[in-house]
């Protein structure tokens, strides 16, 4: 099955919401444990795009979304050159290079939009994502110890940033 990486359009919103919710309900990879209501997801997407950020999706058909990557531009004066990256891929589509393709497309689009610094936070337990970000050239900037406590377990958050161009 072919998976394409494309800019987000309105027709992707239901699939994006469902994919976000599925990844969130795994309670492992992103800070959410369930997606916000669809109207809030749509508002978040509009806010990212209207503020000069980027949102790309991985699709298997015109509207079937299996992953996303966003770079949200920061709004405060003095920080508008910075974007915060977030992403997720449905479990059945992981370990196929889709996350790398999503990240590369989002980073390229963010650079075109004038975003110079791309930063992210990733749970220390998410070794696969950390390996991906390392391979892309993100540098480790710090660790927030015991930053999340979920289901009685702590997880550190690793802070990473990309200042130059990503590695291919």
């Amino acid at each position: 099955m072919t998976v394409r990486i494309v800019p987000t359009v309105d027709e992707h919103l239901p699939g994006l919401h469902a994919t976000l919710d599925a990844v969130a309900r795994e309670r492992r990879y992103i800070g959410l444990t369930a997606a916000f209501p669809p109207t809030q997801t749509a508002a978040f997407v509009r806010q990212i795009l209207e503020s000069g950020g980027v949102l790309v999706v991985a699709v298997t058909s015109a509207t079937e979304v299996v992953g996303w990557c966003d770079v949200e531009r920061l709004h405060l004066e003095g920080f508008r050159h910075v974007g915060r990256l977030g992403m997720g891929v449905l479990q059945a589509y992981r370990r196929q290079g889709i996350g790398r393709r999503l990240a590369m497309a989002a980073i390229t689009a963010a650079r075109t939009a004038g975003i110079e610094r791309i930063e992210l936070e990733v749970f220390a337990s998410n070794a696969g994502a950390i390996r991906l970000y390392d391979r892309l050239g993100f540098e480790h900037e710090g660790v927030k110890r015991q930053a999340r406590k979920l289901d009685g377990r702590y997880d550190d958050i690793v802070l990473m940033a990309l200042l130059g161009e990503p590695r291919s």
Side-chain angles (χ1 to χ4, degrees):
M1 179 178 306
T2 302
V3 175
R4 296 176 301 118
I5 309 301
V6 297
T8 303
V9 295
D10 286 345
E11 290 76 24
H12 295 135
L13 292 176
L16 175 60
H17 180 266
T19 298
L20 173 64
D21 192 56
V23 173
R25 288 182 187 278
E26 290 181 69
R27 301 171 66 84
R28 190 169 168 201
Y29 300 109
I30 62 176
L32 297 174
T33 56
F36 295 113
T39 55
Q40 284 183 288
T41 300
F44 178 68
V45 168
R46 277 194 304 280
Q47 180 268 322
I48 287 174
L49 298 177
E50 289 171 1
S51 68
V54 172
L55 184 85
V56 295
V57 291
V59 295
T60 60
S61 66
T63 59
E64 184 187 6
V65 176
V66 300
W68 81 91
C69 186
D70 61 82
V71 179
E72 182 181 9
R73 184 187 292 270
L74 301 187
H75 305 300
L76 295 175
E77 186 174 358
F79 296 94
R80 294 184 186 125
H81 69 292
V82 178
R84 190 162 290 131
L85 185 141
M87 66 182 294
V89 176
L90 288 177
Q91 186 173 19
Y93 291 88
R94 292 182 191 141
R95 310 240 185 281
Q96 299 175 32
I98 295 168
R100 179 181 187 78
R101 290 173 52 209
L102 280 163
M104 290 293 292
I107 292 166
T108 299
R111 294 291 191 235
T112 299
I115 296 174
E116 300 169 33
R117 171 187 166 86
I118 300 173
E119 58 188 30
L120 60 86
E121 296 184 356
V122 58
F123 293 117
S125 61
N126 192 350
I130 293 170
R131 276 193 306 277
L132 169 63
Y133 300 135
D134 282 337
R135 289 181 186 137
L136 289 172
F138 281 80
E139 295 190 25
H140 294 245
E141 294 191 325
V143 176
K144 293 181 182 179
R145 302 282 180 207
Q146 295 184 350
R148 175 173 74 166
K149 184 178 182 183
L150 185 64
D151 301 327
R153 284 182 266 165
Y154 291 105
D155 204 346
D156 295 344
I157 292 179
V158 179
L159 309 173
M160 302 179 78
L162 179 68
L163 299 176
E165 292 303 314
R167 295 185 197 126
S168 3

